[in-house]
Amino acid sequence: MKESFFRIIALIRKELLAMFKDPKSRVVLVLPPILQCLIFGYAASYDLNNVPYAVLDHDHSAASIELAAKLDGSGTFSRVATAAADIGHRTVHK
């Protein structure tokens, strides 16, 4: 097991040394991660601003109504539909 690990490490080292000798290979190795960091750093965001959702409330209890009211009042979520489950089929009311 150790021998296989050391062979893989030696192979990785050999390939990296070969890549660093060639200037074109260095650019190919370094430039894409830098570009990805710049592009995706501005494009990807964890900020939630306007998340659409639909509500299907089978419970109709005070807790479920309060939860829906908190979601509506948060500013982050916006209700786009309220679903009503009838006997045999579902309908969505916008």
Side-chain angles (χ1 to χ4, degrees), residues 33-43:
I34 292 172
L35 287 176
Q36 287 175 353
C37 286
L38 291 174
I39 292 171
F40 295 134
Y42 291 107

Side-chain angles (χ1 to χ4, degrees), residues 36-88:
Q36 287 175 353
C37 286
L38 291 174
I39 292 171
F40 295 134
Y42 291 107
S45 172
Y46 294 110
D47 295 335
L48 298 176
N49 294 327
N50 188 12
V51 180
Y53 75 99
V55 173
L56 175 59
D57 187 8
H58 287 293
D59 192 24
H60 300 293
S61 68
S64 67
I65 294 169
E66 181 183 352
L67 176 64
K70 284 184 179 179
L71 286 174
D72 288 337
S74 69
T76 302
F77 300 96
S78 60
R79 186 185 304 194
V80 294
T82 301
D86 296 332
I87 300 172

